[in-house]
């Protein structure tokens, strides 16, 4: 079992930045692939970024490449999502999730946080 708690969401103007954090507790954090997903109004939940156990091989959705950076601190059981140059279309609830396999498929992530709201005003 892994418990995940996100923080760092909020209201920001377009062009601004936010850093989301996801604190994990429970089983060995370093053994999980960590992902960030988002759910926007009227849309399905989509993957934003994912990162392997070692912190290498990041994956980014095309919509966020060059603007978002995923990173992890295994010593402190935390994964981050640095979001720069935010756009109104980035408005969503952001979730972190943990998977035992290196995957971008939502259904392969067994553990989820409660989500944090990010609102970007234009």
């Amino acid at each position: 079992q892994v418990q995940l708690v996100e923080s760092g969401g909020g209201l920001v103007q377009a062009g601004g930045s936010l850093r989301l954090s996801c604190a994990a507790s429970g089983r060995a954090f370093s053994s999980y692939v960590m992902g960030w997903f988002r759910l926007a109004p009227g849309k399905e939940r989509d993957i934003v970024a994912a990162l392997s156990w070692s912190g290498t091989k990041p994956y980014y959705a095309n919509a966020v490449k060059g603007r978002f950076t995923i990173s992890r601190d295994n010593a402190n059981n935390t994964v981050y999502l640095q979001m720069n140059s935010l756009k109104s279309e980035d408005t969503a609830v952001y979730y972190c999730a943990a998977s035992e396999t290196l995957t971008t498929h939502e259904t392969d992530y067994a553990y989820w946080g409660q989500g944090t709201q990010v609102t970007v005003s234009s």
Side-chain angles (χ1 to χ4, degrees):
Q1 285 281 345
V2 176
Q3 293 78 43
L4 303 172
V5 178
E6 302 98 335
S7 61
L11 174 64
V12 64
Q13 288 188 333
S17 298
L18 281 175
R19 188 175 81 155
L20 305 183
S21 300
C22 174
S25 60
R27 289 184 56 190
F29 172 75
S30 61
S31 66
Y32 289 95
V33 171
M34 299 302 298
W36 284 97
F37 292 77
R38 66 186 180 185
L39 178 61
K43 296 185 178 181
E44 295 183 349
R45 188 159 59 183
D46 289 327
I47 190 165
V48 174
L51 192 59
S52 62
W53 308 270
S54 62
T56 58
K57 301 180 182 179
Y59 166 86
Y60 297 100
N62 287 336
V64 307
K65 278 182 181 177
R67 300 188 298 121
F68 290 12
T69 302
I70 186 172
S71 61
R72 66 191 296 164
D73 180 349
N74 287 340
N76 291 299
N77 292 353
T78 305
V79 63
Y80 303 97
L81 186 68
Q82 177 67 43
M83 306 185 295
N84 298 328
S85 302
L86 283 161
K87 306 175 181 180
S88 57
E89 51 263 45
D90 295 318
T91 295
V93 177
Y94 284 73
Y95 299 87
C96 73
S99 173
E100 294 183 351
T101 59
L102 188 58
T103 178
T104 60
H105 298 291
E106 178 181 352
T107 54
D108 293 329
Y109 285 77
Y111 305 103
W112 292 82
Q114 82 289 351
T116 186
Q117 176 71 47
V118 171
T119 303
V120 184
S121 63
S122 57

